């Protein structure tokens, strides 16, 4: 298996990511414990919906996340854990790979 190259986020993209409402929700929702897992909209959903094979197939999961009351802590947990598969916290794996480049450096100054 080859090593995946992660595109580096430049300063302009980093500023955009920090303004992303999902990213802000993750910052706010971090360190709020694990009870959020009991309130996810996806609890009763088919897990396969959250592990789509293409970006287009991710639309139903992303729509469910947008209505979810625990998007922030969910995304924070995914960013902390480095989950690189599936839809979490209203993001695709590609979006989280970019966000993690901003997320990890930010944490040390909080
Ligand atoms: S944000 Fe999405 S993946 Fe996370 S708990 Fe809510 S519905 Fe599930």
């Amino acid at each position: 298996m080859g090593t995946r190259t992660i595109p580096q986020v430049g300063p302009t993209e980093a500023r955009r990511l920090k303004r992303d409402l999902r990213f802000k929700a993750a910052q706010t929702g971090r360190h709020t414990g694990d009870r959020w897992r009991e309130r996810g909209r996806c609890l009763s959903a088919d897990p396969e919906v959250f592990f789509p094979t293409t970006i287009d197939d991710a639309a139903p999961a992303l729509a469910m996340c947008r209505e979810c009351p625990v998007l922030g802590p969910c995304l924070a947990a995914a960013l902390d854990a480095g989950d690189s598969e599936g839809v979490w916290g209203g993001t695709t794996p590609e979006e989280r790979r970019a966000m993690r480049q901003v997320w990890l450096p930010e944490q040390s100054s909080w």
Side-chain angles (χ1 to χ4, degrees), residues 46-65:
D46 180 351
E48 289 201 10
V49 170
F50 283 79
F51 290 91
T53 52
T54 69
I55 286 288
D56 289 341
D57 292 342
L62 293 171
M64 201 176 303
C65 291

Side-chain angles (χ1 to χ4, degrees), residues 36-37 39-43 50 61-75 87-91:
W36 63 267
R37 295 178 189 275
R39 298 172 48 222
R41 278 281 166 92
C42 55
L43 273 184
F50 283 79
L62 293 171
M64 201 176 303
C65 291
R66 278 195 293 275
E67 302 295 322
C68 182
V70 293
L71 182 150
C74 177
L75 178 55
V87 170
W88 293 92
T91 60

